[in-house]
């Protein structure tokens, strides 16, 4: 069975875009592959979070992923720093990652531009650590978006270079992976583009938002002054709300409001009220699971302990083999 590895950025709460996009795929992959899902807390150290922030966001991400259907019985769910073997592998792999190629990475160049005051070595070697996350478990499939494509290419470069240097056929090549069914596009509430944290909290419905918050955010979503001629095409802000309705409401409801729009009789207040109601219903189960898991400290501990054990078993085997290949043999 092929191995899937995915690192989850530990930047806190999940929104509907994460849920209907990446997460639904992860949940499906668990049934078909040997999956490792981990919270990339070591990677987030590049931005120097406070210990308190780091700790709470990692916990929150674990809770929300579990609530969304990641199943610790089926996959290995762990926190990156619980498996220190990755740091050792990172040290070895850094010996044959070259300054030039690291400096050319697009994500690195973007960071240098956006944060010129914090261009640290960890940022430069971020792709090496990411490669090690994958190589550690001999992952071949990595469910990531386009923005991570270059990092995967670097992962293949580092693995192949290791194989060549030591004349072994040890590390496998990993490739980006997604199901080919069309990804559900989740637009944001600000009238433009995909739902995203970078557009601000008002753009996003978070899985952990209280019902009243969901309602408030939707009622405040950007609209226009309404259609003026029959069957006219919709501006982006309106299309976005219809797209959201398509995800959370019944076909009948959607058809009802489509037809009101086409006859210029739509009242955005009613439309949004319905959307908010259906949104609350559609996310109710996850929301209540988030609350349940949040209250169950024992369960969280058990999941992470078991995940760490499983990940460590896989990692320590790799490190034993890598040390042997490199020639780090004990002399005593
Ligand atoms: N770099 C990834 C991101 O920003 C997160 C990540 C870290 C990752 N290690 C990984 C993803 C290993 C896949 C595999 O989204």
């Amino acid at each position: 069975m092929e191995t899937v590895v995915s690192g989850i950025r530990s930047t806190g709460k999940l929104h509907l875009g994460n849920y209907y996009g990446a997460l639904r795929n992860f949940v499906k992959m668990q049934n078909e592959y040997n999956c490792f899902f981990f919270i990339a807390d070591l990677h987030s150290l590049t931005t120097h979070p406070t210990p308190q922030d780091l700790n709470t966001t990692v916990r929150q991400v674990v809770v929300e992923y579990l609530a969304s259907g990641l199943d610790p019985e089926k996959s290995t769910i762990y926190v990156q720093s619980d498996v220190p073997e990755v740091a050792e592998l990172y040290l070895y792999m850094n010996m044959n990652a070259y300054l030039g190629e690291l400096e050319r990475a697009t994500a690195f160049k973007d960071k240098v531009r956006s944060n010129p005051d914090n261009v640290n070595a960890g940022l430069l070697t971020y792709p090496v650590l990411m490669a090690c996350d994958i190589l550690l478990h001999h992952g071949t499939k990595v469910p990531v978006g386009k923005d991570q494509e270059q990092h995967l290419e670097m992962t293949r470069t580092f693995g192949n270079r290791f194989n060549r240097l030591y004349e072994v056929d040890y590390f496998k090549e990993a490739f980006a992976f997604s199901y080919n069914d069309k990804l559900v596009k989740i637009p944001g509430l600000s009238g433009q583009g995909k739902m995203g944290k970078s557009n601000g909290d008002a753009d996003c419905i978070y899985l952990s938002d209280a019902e009243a918050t969901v309602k408030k955010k939707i009622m405040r979503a950007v609209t226009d002054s309404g259609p003026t001629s029959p069957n006219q095409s919709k501006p982006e802000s309106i299309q976005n709300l219809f797209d959201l309705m398509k995800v959370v409401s019944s076909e009948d409801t959607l058809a009802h409001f489509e037809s009101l729009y086409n006859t210029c009789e739509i009242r955005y207040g009613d439309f949004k009220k319905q959307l908010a109601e259906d949104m609350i219903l559609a996310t109710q189960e996850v929301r209540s699971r988030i609350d349940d898991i949040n209250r169950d400290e024992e369960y969280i501990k058990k999941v992470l302990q078991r995940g760490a054990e499983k990940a460590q078993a896989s990692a320590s085997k790799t490190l034993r083999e890598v040390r042997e290949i490199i020639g780090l043999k004990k002399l005593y």
Side-chain angles (χ1 to χ4, degrees), residues 122-140:
L123 202 60
L124 182 72
T125 55
Y126 181 112
V128 185
L129 182 55
M130 174 162 166
C132 292
D133 293 325
I134 299 165
L135 299 171
L136 193 62
H137 305 298
H138 304 283
T140 51

Side-chain angles (χ1 to χ4, degrees), residues 133-253:
D133 293 325
I134 299 165
L135 299 171
L136 193 62
H137 305 298
H138 304 283
T140 51
K141 288 178 160 358
V142 184
V144 286
K146 273 239 171 333
D147 64 320
Q148 297 295 313
E149 197 67 69
Q150 192 180 34
H151 287 158
L152 283 188
E153 196 185 319
M154 293 171 87
T155 301
R156 294 191 290 273
T157 302
F158 299 147
N160 287 334
R161 192 176 285 152
F162 178 95
N163 289 349
R164 231 177 304 116
L165 181 62
Y166 295 107
E167 298 177 342
V168 289
D169 184 16
Y170 185 65
F171 287 126
K172 296 179 185 151
E173 292 193 325
F175 293 92
F177 170 55
S178 74
Y179 287 106
N180 274 338
D181 53 3
K182 0 175 202 30
L183 273 186
V184 190
K185 173 182 157 243
I186 304 293
L189 299 174
S190 58
Q192 279 169 23
K194 285 199 306 188
M195 187 174 285
K197 253 190 194 170
S198 49
N199 306 327
D201 278 349
D203 189 55
C204 302
I205 304 282
Y206 293 108
L207 296 182
S208 54
D209 277 345
E211 294 188 8
T213 312
V214 174
K215 187 160 182 205
K216 200 165 70 191
K217 284 182 177 176
I218 291 184
M219 295 314 287
R220 287 185 188 166
V222 174
T223 50
D224 64 0
S225 51
T228 48
S229 57
N231 301 314
Q232 80 182 55
S233 69
K234 303 184 186 80
E236 187 179 359
S237 61
I238 304 303
Q239 186 59 51
N240 284 352
L241 296 181
F242 272 96
D243 286 348
L244 284 171
M245 182 170 259
K246 193 168 173 180
V247 176
V248 298
S249 304
S250 73
E251 276 178 36
D252 287 351
T253 305

Side-chain angles (χ1 to χ4, degrees), residues 45-107:
L45 294 178
T46 53
T47 61
H48 309 153
T50 67
Q52 175 63 33
D53 273 357
L54 182 64
N55 210 253
T56 26
T57 49
V58 168
R59 188 184 183 283
Q60 184 165 25
V61 174
V62 171
V63 169
E64 295 189 2
Y65 271 78
L66 290 171
S68 307
L70 281 203
D71 182 347
E73 300 292 322
K74 294 179 182 166
S75 345
T76 302
I77 301 164
Y78 69 101
V79 179
Q80 190 182 28
S81 62
D82 283 340
V83 184
E85 283 84 349
V86 77
E88 186 182 340
L89 185 60
Y90 170 60
L91 185 149
Y92 302 147
M93 297 309 275
N94 268 326
M95 304 303 169
N96 46 59
Y98 291 95
L99 185 57
E101 64 192 340
L102 295 171
E103 281 174 337
R104 275 194 302 276
T106 317

